[in-house]
Amino acid sequence: MKITIIGTGYVGLVTGACLAELGNDVFCLDLDKQKIDILNGGGIPIHEPGLEEIVARNRSAGRLVFSTDIAASVAHGDVQFIAVGTPPDEDGSADLQYVLAAARNIGKHMQGFKVIVDKSTVPVGTAERVANAIDAELKQRGSNATYSVVSNPEFLKEGAAVEDFMRPDRIVIGCDDNSLGNLARAHMKKLYTPFNRNHERTYWMDVRSAEFTKYAANAMLATRISFMNELANLADRVGVDIEAVRHGIGSDPRIGHSFLYAGCGYGGSCFPKDVQALERTAQDYGQDLLILHAVEAVNAKQKQVLGAKIMARFGADLSGKHFAVWGLAFKPNTDDMRAASSRVLLGELLRAGATVSVYDPVAVPEAKRVFALDFAENPELLENIHYATTPMGALDQADALAIVTEWKAFRSPDFEQVKARLKHAVIFDGRNLFEPALMTDLGLEYHGIGRSVLTRS
Ligand SMILES: NC(=O)c1ccc[n+]([C@@H]2O[C@H](COP(=O)([O-])OP(=O)(O)OC[C@H]3O[C@@H](n4cnc5c(N)ncnc54)[C@H](O)[C@@H]3O)[C@@H](O)[C@H]2O)c1
């Protein structure tokens, strides 16, 4: 099928590459010329395991092209995916300016029937706004071209995006129940047939319910995390191991093991903004989502937990102190630094007078870009960030180690070397990677999240 993807970011690039891999003829549009130049030069602007090979293979097969040419992109695809960003607006609502600009561009150039697919995460009612934007453009040029707007939210996880896209748990598609909607449904059914070979994974529903489903999923996952984080903080006070508790409750099939890890807060491009946007939608309809207010508040506080533990141990004034930080990205296997917990920790440490040596296997270039923004008002603090090229290299002369991202490479370090390199053998583990009892046996002072278990000796 002939597919256009508008927006070649994490979602758009993965969607385009994977649809090309299945034999479709895919045109990826982005207005960011630098991004398109990188892709046309054979590079990849983001870190995503497995993506580079798929892009290269399908580019050379001629099934995947990258361009900034809007008119050509509209002419190409019978199905037009809108996969542009929907960042939070000042009031927390989803900023739809990019989605609506993409819709207007389609309206300006489309000739025959088009299926317009909202793949970006967008609030309930956005499909109508997309249709209105297209209608206005069609009216202006007296065109009677037809289209149908479909909602097809994306559930991929950064770091496992290709695998998630190729083997989705579910495909949610919202279609209008009318003749053009039925035509759109037939296109979507054909496009997604290869994903349903083993068993049917598609959930068909109305457009508004599909839009809502994406927010409901992210809000539920964020709620589980904040719930466990709040319990972990209590566990620290009462002398309980939250990891034991996690096993104890996760074995209940009504609860399950996934997404129950306590840690130093969630980040990324989705949970923080989607929780906020859902709260905002509720307010627009006269309802207060009390649970989500709490989820957000707990998460904001949780990002400060590592800093608080470090200051409780080393004092509020950290002048002359030096800390090693392992992990900058908001989660492993990505270089995405959006709302990453490391940004809060570094802000606290540097503003309290400390210096840091940081290590991340892939996120350093992106980290340098975002730290320049975070410290725009006191750029002299940037001098106090040293970028190590190995995890062990970050430890030399550090008073303690703080772990912020659970990269696999951090899971089994040579603890004797860790001890030997650090000035004080102290670990603040924001992702609960290690067993407290083992740390004690090794002579390491260990501060996890909710792991201050009290036992009778
Ligand atoms: N990143 C994720 O893990 C993820 C997962 C599921 C859903 N989503 C949702 O998917 C959407 C995209 O997220 P992302 O992380 O891929 O964003 P991104 O910021 O990585 O990419 C968006 C791209 O769209 C381009 N763009 C903006 N306006 C454009 C226009 N009018 N025409 C063409 N290109 C345009 C930008 O230049 C950018 O390259 C968001 O709504 C997000 O909430 C993201």
Side-chain angles (χ1 to χ4, degrees):
M1 293 175 72
K2 294 187 91 171
I3 310 293
T4 290
I5 311 282
I6 305 163
T8 312
Y10 282 90
V11 168
L13 183 55
V14 171
T15 304
C18 291
L19 290 177
E21 178 80 351
L22 293 171
N24 296 292
D25 193 357
V26 179
F27 188 114
C28 289
L29 172 79
D30 206 290
L31 302 186
D32 182 342
K33 185 170 177 314
Q34 208 186 343
K35 213 172 246 190
I36 295 298
D37 286 346
I38 293 172
L39 288 158
N40 281 331
I44 294 276
I46 53 170
H47 176 85
E48 192 56 55
L51 185 58
E52 197 161 357
E53 297 86 309
I54 299 187
V55 169
R57 188 162 51 241
N58 288 283
R59 263 187 82 231
S60 62
R63 284 192 300 267
L64 184 61
V65 299
F66 299 103
S67 170
T68 55
D69 185 338
I70 294 171
S73 79
V74 179
H76 177 86
D78 303 317
V79 181
Q80 303 264 324
F81 278 90
I82 299 179
V84 300
T86 46
D89 218 334
E90 273 161 27
D91 62 359
S93 63
D95 178 354
L96 293 178
Q97 63 167 309
Y98 306 104
V99 170
L100 297 176
R104 282 194 297 274
N105 284 339
I106 297 170
K108 266 183 202 136
H109 297 281
M110 65 187 268
Q111 298 298 337
F113 175 74
K114 299 281 178 192
V115 180
I116 320 292
V117 185
D118 287 342
K119 190 158 250 328
S120 299
T121 302
V122 290
V124 170
T126 300
E128 282 152 57
R129 295 183 63 184
V130 164
N132 291 342
I134 296 172
D135 284 344
E137 294 297 334
L138 292 176
K139 193 169 165 208
Q140 188 153 2
R141 62 188 175 92
S143 165
N144 55 7
T146 56
Y147 66 90
S148 181
V149 183
V150 166
S151 169
N152 173 217
E154 182 50 58
F155 295 94
L156 63 76
K157 300 182 286 297
E158 282 177 28
V162 171
E163 173 70 15
D164 284 350
F165 194 92
M166 285 303 203
R167 266 181 269 280
D169 305 321
R170 77 302 212 183
I171 299 159
V172 169
I173 305 180
C175 273
D176 282 341
D177 199 9
N178 55 36
S179 60
L180 290 175
N182 291 340
L183 194 52
R185 185 175 296 133
H187 276 76
M188 296 303 281
K189 200 167 178 334
K190 186 170 164 205
L191 182 63
Y192 277 109
T193 292
F195 298 90
N196 291 312
R197 274 180 64 107
N198 180 270
H199 62 276
E200 183 59 49
R201 292 182 163 95
T202 311
Y203 293 88
W204 297 95
M205 55 185 81
D206 61 280
V207 173
R208 292 173 85 87
S209 301
E211 290 171 336
F212 200 83
T213 299
K214 173 66 192 178
Y215 284 101
N218 276 355
M220 170 59 108
L221 295 173
T223 301
R224 282 171 73 100
I225 295 174
S226 277
F227 175 76
M228 285 308 279
N229 282 340
E230 198 156 50
L231 290 196
N233 296 340
L234 178 60
D236 268 336
R237 286 173 194 258
V238 297
V240 161
D241 182 1
I242 197 70
E243 273 296 286
V245 175
R246 180 175 71 79
H247 291 301
I249 64 172
S251 51
D252 182 334
R254 292 169 302 177
I255 296 174
H257 284 101
S258 303
F259 263 81
L260 281 186
Y261 292 93
C264 54
Y266 62 75
S269 69
C270 292
F271 289 180
K273 81 169 172 64
D274 293 351
V275 166
Q276 270 181 29
L278 187 53
E279 286 179 81
R280 186 66 218 184
T281 297
Q283 280 163 13
D284 289 347
Y285 285 81
Q287 192 186 333
D288 231 1
L289 289 183
L290 300 177
I291 288 179
L292 293 192
H293 295 329
V295 167
E296 247 200 307
V298 167
N299 193 55
K301 218 167 133 207
Q302 201 64 16
K303 288 184 176 174
Q304 300 170 346
V305 157
L306 276 183
K309 283 178 187 271
I310 291 172
M311 288 185 196
R313 172 67 173 74
F314 288 97
D317 179 2
L318 296 175
S319 312
K321 296 279 186 292
H322 182 67
F323 296 97
V325 176
W326 281 1
L328 296 172
F330 88 90
K331 68 173 181 179
N333 299 321
T334 180
D335 59 351
D336 199 336
M337 290 288 296
R338 289 179 278 190
S341 299
S342 64
R343 297 169 71 168
V344 174
L345 178 64
L346 255 66
E348 288 172 345
L349 296 180
L350 296 182
R351 290 196 174 96
T355 54
V356 293
S357 276
V358 298
Y359 172 78
D360 190 285
V362 303
V364 166
E366 184 59 8
K368 286 182 177 167
R369 191 185 70 78
V370 300
F371 291 153
L373 300 173
D374 290 355
F375 297 103
E377 279 173 20
N378 18 23
E380 69 285 356
L381 293 180
L382 291 171
E383 306 282 309
N384 296 337
I385 309 176
H386 169 76
Y387 293 91
T389 52
T390 62
M392 289 297 167
L395 303 179
D396 294 328
Q397 295 309 310
D399 287 279
L401 162 66
I403 302 174
V404 186
T405 316
E406 64 272 39
W407 284 96
K408 281 212 177 77
F410 303 155
R411 286 181 189 217
S412 277
D414 175 347
F415 287 111
E416 288 306 324
Q417 223 194 114
V418 170
K419 238 169 79 177
R421 286 185 181 236
L422 286 172
K423 245 198 271 180
H424 308 283
V426 186
I427 298 180
F428 297 92
D429 182 356
R431 299 297 170 193
N432 287 345
L433 297 185
F434 310 131
E435 275 310 308
L438 174 68
M439 295 297 102
T440 308
D441 288 352
L442 290 167
L444 282 150
E445 184 184 320
Y446 182 71
H447 302 264
I449 310 286
R451 310 213 66 192
S452 311
V453 61
L454 289 176
T455 48
R456 276 178 71 177
S457 49

Short mmCIF file of all heavy atoms in Angstrom, two decimals, residues 378-406:
data_model
loop_
_atom_site.label_atom_id
_atom_site.label_comp_id
_atom_site.label_asym_id
_atom_site.label_seq_id
_atom_site.Cartn_x
_atom_site.Cartn_y
_atom_site.Cartn_z
N ASN A 378 22.40 29.51 34.98
CA ASN A 378 23.73 29.44 35.60
C ASN A 378 24.63 28.50 34.83
O ASN A 378 24.96 27.40 35.28
CB ASN A 378 23.71 29.07 37.09
CG ASN A 378 22.41 28.41 37.50
OD1 ASN A 378 21.69 27.85 36.67
ND2 ASN A 378 22.12 28.45 38.77
N PRO A 379 25.05 28.96 33.62
CA PRO A 379 25.83 28.09 32.73
C PRO A 379 27.17 27.68 33.31
O PRO A 379 27.75 26.68 32.88
CB PRO A 379 26.01 28.94 31.47
CG PRO A 379 25.69 30.34 31.86
CD PRO A 379 24.80 30.28 33.04
N GLU A 380 27.64 28.43 34.34
CA GLU A 380 28.93 28.05 34.95
C GLU A 380 28.85 26.65 35.58
O GLU A 380 29.85 25.95 35.69
CB GLU A 380 29.40 29.10 35.96
CG GLU A 380 28.60 29.22 37.25
CD GLU A 380 27.24 29.91 37.11
OE1 GLU A 380 26.91 30.39 36.00
OE2 GLU A 380 26.49 29.95 38.11
N LEU A 381 27.62 26.24 35.95
CA LEU A 381 27.48 24.91 36.56
C LEU A 381 27.76 23.78 35.57
O LEU A 381 28.13 22.67 35.96
CB LEU A 381 26.07 24.73 37.16
CG LEU A 381 25.74 25.61 38.36
CD1 LEU A 381 24.32 25.35 38.85
CD2 LEU A 381 26.73 25.37 39.50
N LEU A 382 27.62 24.09 34.28
CA LEU A 382 27.89 23.06 33.26
C LEU A 382 29.33 22.58 33.33
O LEU A 382 29.65 21.44 32.99
CB LEU A 382 27.59 23.61 31.85
CG LEU A 382 26.10 23.87 31.54
CD1 LEU A 382 25.97 24.61 30.22
CD2 LEU A 382 25.33 22.55 31.48
N GLU A 383 30.20 23.50 33.80
CA GLU A 383 31.63 23.15 33.94
C GLU A 383 31.82 22.04 34.96
O GLU A 383 32.85 21.36 34.97
CB GLU A 383 32.43 24.37 34.44
CG GLU A 383 32.25 25.62 33.61
CD GLU A 383 33.08 25.55 32.36
OE1 GLU A 383 34.27 25.27 32.48
OE2 GLU A 383 32.51 25.75 31.25
N ASN A 384 30.84 21.90 35.86
CA ASN A 384 30.98 20.92 36.94
C ASN A 384 30.46 19.53 36.57
O ASN A 384 30.35 18.66 37.41
CB ASN A 384 30.27 21.42 38.20
CG ASN A 384 30.94 22.69 38.72
OD1 ASN A 384 32.11 22.93 38.41
ND2 ASN A 384 30.21 23.51 39.44
N ILE A 385 30.09 19.39 35.28
CA ILE A 385 29.68 18.05 34.80
C ILE A 385 30.81 17.49 33.97
O ILE A 385 31.18 18.07 32.94
CB ILE A 385 28.40 18.12 33.92
CG1 ILE A 385 27.29 18.90 34.62
CG2 ILE A 385 27.94 16.72 33.54
CD1 ILE A 385 26.04 19.10 33.75
N HIS A 386 31.33 16.35 34.43
CA HIS A 386 32.36 15.68 33.65
C HIS A 386 31.72 14.45 32.99
O HIS A 386 30.96 13.73 33.65
CB HIS A 386 33.52 15.26 34.56
CG HIS A 386 34.49 14.34 33.91
ND1 HIS A 386 35.41 14.77 32.98
CD2 HIS A 386 34.63 13.00 34.00
CE1 HIS A 386 36.09 13.73 32.54
NE2 HIS A 386 35.64 12.63 33.14
N TYR A 387 32.00 14.24 31.72
CA TYR A 387 31.40 13.10 31.00
C TYR A 387 32.43 11.97 30.92
O TYR A 387 33.46 12.11 30.25
CB TYR A 387 30.95 13.52 29.60
CG TYR A 387 29.78 14.50 29.67
CD1 TYR A 387 30.00 15.87 29.72
CD2 TYR A 387 28.47 14.04 29.75
CE1 TYR A 387 28.94 16.77 29.83
CE2 TYR A 387 27.40 14.92 29.86
CZ TYR A 387 27.65 16.28 29.89
OH TYR A 387 26.60 17.16 30.02
N ALA A 388 32.15 10.89 31.64
CA ALA A 388 33.06 9.74 31.63
C ALA A 388 32.74 8.86 30.43
O ALA A 388 31.61 8.84 29.94
CB ALA A 388 32.89 8.94 32.92
N THR A 389 33.74 8.11 29.97
CA THR A 389 33.52 7.25 28.80
C THR A 389 33.29 5.79 29.19
O THR A 389 32.97 4.96 28.34
CB THR A 389 34.70 7.35 27.81
OG1 THR A 389 35.89 7.11 28.56
CG2 THR A 389 34.77 8.71 27.16
N THR A 390 33.48 5.48 30.48
CA THR A 390 33.15 4.13 30.97
C THR A 390 32.46 4.29 32.32
O THR A 390 32.70 5.29 33.02
CB THR A 390 34.41 3.26 31.17
OG1 THR A 390 35.23 3.89 32.17
CG2 THR A 390 35.20 3.10 29.89
N PRO A 391 31.67 3.28 32.73
CA PRO A 391 31.05 3.38 34.06
C PRO A 391 32.10 3.48 35.16
O PRO A 391 31.98 4.32 36.06
CB PRO A 391 30.25 2.07 34.18
CG PRO A 391 30.07 1.56 32.79
CD PRO A 391 31.21 2.08 31.99
N MET A 392 33.14 2.65 35.07
CA MET A 392 34.16 2.67 36.13
C MET A 392 34.92 3.99 36.15
O MET A 392 35.28 4.50 37.21
CB MET A 392 35.13 1.49 35.94
CG MET A 392 34.51 0.15 36.24
SD MET A 392 33.99 0.03 37.97
CE MET A 392 32.97 -1.44 37.91
N GLY A 393 35.12 4.55 34.96
CA GLY A 393 35.84 5.82 34.86
C GLY A 393 35.12 6.95 35.58
O GLY A 393 35.74 7.93 36.02
N ALA A 394 33.81 6.81 35.72
CA ALA A 394 33.04 7.87 36.41
C ALA A 394 33.27 7.85 37.92
O ALA A 394 33.00 8.83 38.61
CB ALA A 394 31.55 7.69 36.12
N LEU A 395 33.78 6.71 38.43
CA LEU A 395 33.83 6.54 39.89
C LEU A 395 35.03 7.20 40.57
O LEU A 395 34.98 7.49 41.77
CB LEU A 395 33.85 5.04 40.23
CG LEU A 395 32.70 4.20 39.69
CD1 LEU A 395 32.88 2.73 40.09
CD2 LEU A 395 31.36 4.70 40.22
N ASP A 396 36.09 7.41 39.80
CA ASP A 396 37.34 7.86 40.43
C ASP A 396 37.14 9.15 41.22
O ASP A 396 36.61 10.13 40.70
CB ASP A 396 38.43 8.05 39.36
CG ASP A 396 38.80 6.70 38.73
OD1 ASP A 396 38.71 5.69 39.46
OD2 ASP A 396 39.11 6.67 37.53
N GLN A 397 37.56 9.12 42.46
CA GLN A 397 37.49 10.29 43.35
C GLN A 397 36.08 10.71 43.72
O GLN A 397 35.86 11.78 44.27
CB GLN A 397 38.23 11.51 42.73
CG GLN A 397 39.72 11.32 42.58
CD GLN A 397 40.35 10.84 43.89
OE1 GLN A 397 40.13 11.42 44.96
NE2 GLN A 397 41.12 9.76 43.82
N ALA A 398 35.08 9.87 43.38
CA ALA A 398 33.70 10.24 43.74
C ALA A 398 33.42 9.85 45.18
O ALA A 398 33.87 8.81 45.65
CB ALA A 398 32.72 9.57 42.80
N ASP A 399 32.64 10.69 45.86
CA ASP A 399 32.27 10.37 47.24
C ASP A 399 31.26 9.24 47.27
O ASP A 399 31.17 8.52 48.27
CB ASP A 399 31.69 11.62 47.91
CG ASP A 399 32.78 12.63 48.20
OD1 ASP A 399 33.46 12.45 49.22
OD2 ASP A 399 32.98 13.56 47.39
N ALA A 400 30.46 9.11 46.22
CA ALA A 400 29.45 8.04 46.17
C ALA A 400 28.99 7.88 44.73
O ALA A 400 29.23 8.75 43.89
CB ALA A 400 28.27 8.38 47.07
N LEU A 401 28.29 6.77 44.50
CA LEU A 401 27.72 6.51 43.18
C LEU A 401 26.20 6.60 43.27
O LEU A 401 25.59 6.03 44.19
CB LEU A 401 28.12 5.10 42.73
CG LEU A 401 27.29 4.46 41.59
CD1 LEU A 401 27.47 5.24 40.29
CD2 LEU A 401 27.68 2.99 41.39
N ALA A 402 25.57 7.30 42.30
CA ALA A 402 24.10 7.31 42.20
C ALA A 402 23.72 6.65 40.88
O ALA A 402 24.27 6.99 39.84
CB ALA A 402 23.58 8.74 42.26
N ILE A 403 22.78 5.71 40.94
CA ILE A 403 22.31 5.04 39.71
C ILE A 403 20.92 5.55 39.37
O ILE A 403 20.01 5.48 40.20
CB ILE A 403 22.29 3.50 39.89
CG1 ILE A 403 23.68 3.01 40.27
CG2 ILE A 403 21.80 2.82 38.61
CD1 ILE A 403 23.74 1.53 40.62
N VAL A 404 20.76 6.07 38.15
CA VAL A 404 19.49 6.69 37.78
C VAL A 404 18.76 5.89 36.69
O VAL A 404 17.54 5.87 36.64
CB VAL A 404 19.70 8.15 37.30
CG1 VAL A 404 18.38 8.84 37.06
CG2 VAL A 404 20.50 8.93 38.33
N THR A 405 19.51 5.24 35.79
CA THR A 405 18.88 4.49 34.68
C THR A 405 19.35 3.05 34.75
O THR A 405 20.55 2.79 34.91
CB THR A 405 19.31 5.09 33.32
OG1 THR A 405 19.23 6.50 33.39
CG2 THR A 405 18.42 4.58 32.19
N GLU A 406 18.41 2.11 34.57
CA GLU A 406 18.77 0.69 34.75
C GLU A 406 19.30 0.07 33.46
O GLU A 406 18.76 -0.94 32.97
CB GLU A 406 17.59 -0.10 35.34
CG GLU A 406 16.35 -0.20 34.47
CD GLU A 406 15.37 0.94 34.65
OE1 GLU A 406 15.82 2.09 34.80
OE2 GLU A 406 14.16 0.68 34.60
#
